[in-house]
């Protein structure tokens, strides 16, 4: 770790001011991603602005009937908050599918959005990486790329965004509220993270100094027909190879509204509104779900070690919607693992 | 200024890392430390306070050996900066039970032979204390899932599960 100074911020505007005043400062929430990257010398801030004392840990109702998650609420407190469990169980399920209980107790909701890719080359200072050092090249293209993107990648970078929580937030059409040197603004969730293009060093659209203050969930929570399915190399404490947040609103067997977002497949949580549109007005059957799945992967491109994700994503979409329809949400695909003795 | 143009060449400043005073409340006692801001809570415990019950396994949040409780909640001390834990109640394995009266989980680990080398054990026990106060694990599958943040290189999982389940069942009987 490089040498740095620590400033515990007592108010949002003070935190922002401190960030703008230092050229190489970083906010720190739970530290579960930043401290790790600092130990690896991938992140080398010289000044840390501690957010933990900011009054942003509350989870409270909004006047429009939605729910506001303070940026400093922990992932664990969010997943197990009674209102989140009751009204947005898809979000609870996605959070609980990620990391470990200890990490979820530390990780903040704002930090979760900002976590960086788990691409092995991004972590390895000995290899070129356009995200870590722009212009050096991408070691994953032509290298080992089992965990990499099949959708929306570029010639510069094929990394994926690793969050589970963000996949559910994308499906639920969350709004991100931020505070910056020029005041407050809101960002639609699909506009928050970005595709790599020719600037893979930029994960998102936050401007310099901007601080996430809350995540605002809209009233509609799809609390009846939903599932977060996460497929990975082991069934706990591992990042997703492919994950699916599926949510339906049903009138009898007819789909009246649908949400679909994928994790582990792109540089950002991958919501596909065109595939959602294909579902609406259709019967909730495997055929319908297969058509939507085909639409999602229509433009997918695999590399040497991750092409399996294309078929996996298709099948995972169909299974997640089947679980949503049958009201049997399950994080793991293995029926045995989900049964309690 | 011109008179001293042949002054000594400036040297790169060699100074000790800047440290700061930090008070940590651990197992009910305040400890005043003089540490650099990048000192993790784990290193503060082990290197500055001789509280070596808490172990360093991976140092990257991947194994759970460093698990301690902050205000009763389990966390990985290797990913937490000590400066960020001022004012919090920190509990380590040394703060659970006494030699005369072990914590029920410590006793259960002995009764079920829930370790081999013992390196992961303090983290397992602190994690299980957090698990039980969360109150979310009742079945074996739930305990397995919610203890998955603690790896055991010796593979003592079967007996760890049995030890934790015994205490979980007793809590369910006596509590709520
Ligand atoms: C071993 C391990 C396994 C994991 N497994 C999973 C998994 O399976 N699924 C999953 O989804 N995640 C997983 N994670 C990642 C974990 O969820 C993230 O590290 C965590 O959510 C980050 O939150 P934090 O508060 O600790 O962020 P920090 O580490 O504090 O910060 C991360 C970044 O966010 C910035 N930041 C923090 N708060 C704000 C804010 N309010 N506004 C603007 N910027 C901010 C920081 O400057 C920093 O750049 C895992 C992590 C580890 C270590
Ligand atoms: S995929 Fe992106 S993060 Fe990984 S090596 Fe290539 S440029 Fe770096
Ligand atoms: S040493 Fe902290 S999790 Fe491994
Ligand atoms: S008993 Fe040896 S690591 Fe668990």
């Amino acid at each position: 770790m490089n040498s740095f100074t620590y400033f515990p911020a007592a108010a949002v505007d003070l935190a922002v001011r401190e960030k703008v005043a230092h050229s190489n400062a970083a906010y720190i929430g739970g530290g579960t991603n930043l401290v790790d990257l600092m130990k690896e010398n991938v992140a080398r801030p010289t000044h840390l602005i501690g957010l933990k004392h900011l009054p942003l840990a509350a989870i409270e109702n909004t006047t429009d009937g939605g729910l506001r998650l303070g940026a400093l609420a922990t992932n664990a407190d969010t997943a197990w908050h009674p209102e989140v469990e009751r009204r947005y169980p898809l979000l609870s399920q996605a959070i609980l599918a990620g990391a470990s209980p200890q990490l979820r107790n530390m990780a903040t909701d704002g930090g979760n959005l900002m976590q960086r890719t788990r691409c092995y080359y991004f972590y390895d200072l000995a290899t070129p990486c356009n995200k870590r050092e722009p212009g050096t090249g991408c070691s994953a293209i032509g290298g080992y790329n089992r965990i990499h993107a099949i959708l929306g990648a570029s010639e510069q970078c094929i990394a994926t965004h690793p969050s589970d929580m963000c996949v559910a937030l994308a499906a639920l059409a969350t709004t991100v509220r931020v505070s910056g040197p020029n005041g407050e603004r809101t960002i639609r969730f699909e506009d928050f993270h970005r595709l790599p293009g020719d600037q893979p060093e930029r994960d998102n659209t936050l401007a310099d100094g901007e601080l996430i203050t809350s995540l605002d969930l809209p009233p509609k929570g799809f609390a009846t027909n939903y599932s977060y399915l996460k497929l990975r190399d082991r069934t706990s404490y591992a990042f997703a190879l492919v994950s699916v947040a599926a949510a339906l609103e049903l009138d009898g067997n007819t789909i009246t509204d649908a949400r679909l977002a994928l994790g582990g497949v792109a540089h950002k949580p991958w919501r596909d509104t065109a595939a959602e549109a294909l579902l609406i007005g259709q019967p909730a059957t495997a055929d319908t779900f297969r058509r939507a799945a085909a639409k999602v992967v229509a433009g997918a491109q695999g590399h040497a070690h991750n092409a399996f994700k294309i078929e996996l994503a298709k099948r995972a979409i169909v299974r997640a919607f089947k679980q949503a329809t049958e009201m049997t949400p399950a994080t793991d695909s293995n029926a045995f693992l989900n049964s309690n003795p | 200024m011109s008179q001293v143009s042949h002054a000594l060449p400036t040297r790169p400043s060699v100074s000790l890392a800047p440290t700061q005073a930090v008070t940590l409340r651990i197992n009910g006692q305040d400890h005043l430390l003089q540490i650099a801001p990048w000192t993790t809570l784990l290193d503060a415990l082990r290197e500055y306070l001789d509280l070596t019950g808490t172990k360093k396994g991976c140092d990257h949040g991947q194994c759970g050996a460093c698990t301690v409780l902050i205000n009763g909640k389990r966390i990985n001390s290797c990913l937490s900066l000590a400066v960020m834990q001022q004012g919090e109640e920190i509990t380590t394995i040394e703060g659970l039970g006494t030699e005369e009266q072990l914590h029920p989980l410590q006793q259960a680990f002995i009764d079920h032979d829930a370790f081999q080398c013992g390196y992961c054990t303090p983290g397992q026990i602190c994690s299980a204390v957090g698990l039980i106060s969360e109150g979310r694990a009742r079945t074996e599958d739930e305990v397995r899932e919610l203890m998955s943040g603690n790896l055991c290189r010796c593979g003592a999982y079967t007996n760890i599960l049995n030890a934790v389940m015994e205490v979980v069942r007793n809590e369910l009987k006596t509590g709520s």
Side-chain angles (χ1 to χ4, degrees):
Chain A
M1 244 189 272
N2 62 293
S3 169
F4 62 86
T5 44
Y6 177 74
F7 172 83
V12 170
D13 56 337
L14 292 178
V16 171
R17 204 180 305 161
E18 190 77 7
K19 180 82 161 67
V20 175
H22 288 78
S23 59
N24 190 20
Y27 294 128
I28 182 164
T32 60
N33 191 226
L34 186 58
V35 173
D36 191 29
L37 290 169
M38 287 169 68
K39 287 183 180 188
E40 298 284 4
N41 279 318
V42 174
R44 303 161 142 273
T46 49
H47 190 56
L48 285 189
I49 301 156
L51 304 181
K52 71 176 283 189
H53 298 295
L54 298 183
L56 297 175
I59 294 178
E60 52 203 4
N61 289 316
T62 51
T63 47
D64 72 347
L67 192 68
R68 170 165 296 170
L69 313 174
L72 268 292
T74 65
N75 288 183
D77 286 349
T78 306
W80 284 336
H81 191 280
E83 288 299 294
V84 178
E85 286 191 305
R86 188 171 67 80
R87 291 158 61 193
Y88 308 94
L90 174 67
L91 179 59
S92 288
Q93 202 196 345
I95 295 172
L96 294 173
S100 69
Q102 289 95 318
L103 290 161
R104 296 193 295 262
N105 276 339
M106 306 169 76
T108 63
D109 289 353
N112 194 300
L113 267 65
M114 301 292 291
Q115 65 176 299
R116 309 218 62 195
T117 185
R118 309 304 286 202
C119 170
Y120 354 92
Y121 304 106
F122 175 70
Y123 269 81
D124 180 0
L125 296 187
T127 57
C129 167
N130 284 327
K131 188 182 276 300
R132 178 168 31 77
E133 268 185 81
T136 55
C138 171
S139 299
I141 298 176
Y144 190 60
N145 45 42
R146 179 173 156 78
I147 64 170
H148 291 77
I150 52 170
L151 289 164
S154 75
E155 303 276 290
Q156 305 277 317
C157 177
I158 59 170
T160 57
H161 191 268
S163 170
D164 291 297
M165 177 181 191
C166 289
V167 182
L169 291 172
L172 292 168
T174 307
T175 300
V176 184
R177 185 171 288 276
V178 307
S179 220
N182 301 317
E184 288 207 1
R185 66 177 181 125
T186 57
I187 308 171
R188 294 191 321 158
F189 205 82
E190 51 255 71
D191 299 329
F192 185 85
H193 296 98
R194 57 186 296 286
L195 292 177
D198 54 10
Q199 275 188 300
E201 68 277 16
R202 290 187 57 211
D203 294 350
N204 54 58
T205 55
L206 271 193
D208 229 19
E210 278 183 330
L211 175 81
I212 301 168
T213 54
S214 72
L215 310 175
D216 295 352
L217 291 160
K220 200 162 176 174
F222 295 88
T224 309
N225 296 103
Y226 68 91
S227 189
Y228 185 74
L229 178 63
K230 180 174 179 182
L231 304 176
R232 41 188 160 168
D233 282 331
R234 56 171 190 250
T235 51
S236 188
Y237 205 7
F239 288 95
L241 288 166
V242 169
S243 69
V244 179
L248 294 170
E249 193 177 65
L250 295 170
D251 180 4
N253 194 40
T254 304
I255 299 168
T256 52
D257 200 359
R259 295 291 171 76
L260 172 58
L262 276 74
V265 296
H267 198 257
K268 60 187 286 189
W270 191 264
R271 181 175 171 200
D272 191 327
T273 49
E276 290 171 1
L278 278 186
L279 294 167
I280 295 169
Q282 301 299 310
T285 60
D287 269 348
T288 303
F289 303 144
R290 271 195 284 270
R291 274 197 298 278
K295 172 96 187 157
V296 172
V297 300
Q301 199 204 331
H303 293 265
H305 311 104
N306 72 349
F308 73 94
K309 283 189 179 183
I310 299 173
E311 184 61 28
L312 190 64
K314 269 163 64 177
R315 296 186 192 190
I317 291 168
V318 174
R319 179 170 294 173
F321 274 121
K322 192 162 170 281
Q323 292 171 337
T325 307
E326 294 169 357
M327 293 191 278
T328 53
T331 298
D332 300 306
S333 54
N334 189 327
F336 171 76
L337 289 163
N338 288 312
S339 69
N340 287 324
Chain B
M1 288 297 267
S2 58
Q3 319 297 46
V4 290
S5 60
H6 292 289
L8 288 175
T10 51
R11 296 182 189 189
S13 65
V14 181
S15 61
L16 288 175
T19 59
Q20 65 190 78
V22 172
T23 304
L24 295 180
R25 187 160 181 81
I26 303 162
N27 302 328
Q29 261 196 309
D30 283 336
H31 298 265
L32 179 62
L33 298 173
Q34 189 68 31
I35 53 176
W38 59 82
T39 311
T40 61
L41 176 59
L42 175 60
D43 287 342
L45 293 171
R46 291 183 56 86
E47 309 296 332
Y48 290 81
L49 294 165
D50 267 345
L51 290 167
T52 53
T54 308
K55 302 297 186 232
K56 182 182 284 193
C58 64
D59 214 18
H60 288 282
Q62 299 173 358
C63 77
C66 65
T67 303
V68 300
L69 299 151
I70 305 281
N71 304 326
K73 291 186 177 178
R74 47 181 166 160
I75 63 120
N76 299 121
S77 61
C78 69
L79 289 185
S80 183
L81 300 173
V83 284
M84 293 176 65
Q85 298 302 348
Q86 295 201 81
E88 314 294 346
E89 275 304 329
I90 302 161
T91 307
T92 69
I93 189 72
E94 290 89 347
L96 296 176
T98 60
E99 290 199 22
E100 297 73 45
Q101 175 124 43
L102 295 179
H103 185 281
L105 273 160
Q106 291 169 326
Q107 189 60 50
F109 268 62
I110 294 172
D111 294 345
H112 289 270
D113 200 11
F115 40 75
Q116 288 170 40
C117 75
Y119 198 81
C120 71
T121 312
Q124 299 278 3
I125 290 177
C126 285
S127 188
V129 171
L131 168 104
I132 285 165
S133 68
E134 287 158 13
R136 295 282 172 156
R138 290 167 196 82
T139 66
E140 290 195 353
D141 275 351
E142 286 164 351
V143 169
R144 277 194 197 95
E145 168 60 29
L146 290 172
M147 285 297 289
S148 71
N150 292 83
L151 305 192
C152 173
R153 186 102 197 259
C154 300
Y157 294 112
T158 314
N159 294 355
I160 293 171
L161 177 69
N162 291 339
V164 175
M165 274 312 289
E166 180 185 295
V167 182
V168 166
R169 284 197 197 97
N170 285 340
E171 287 286 319
L172 287 175
K173 249 183 274 163
T174 55
S176 59

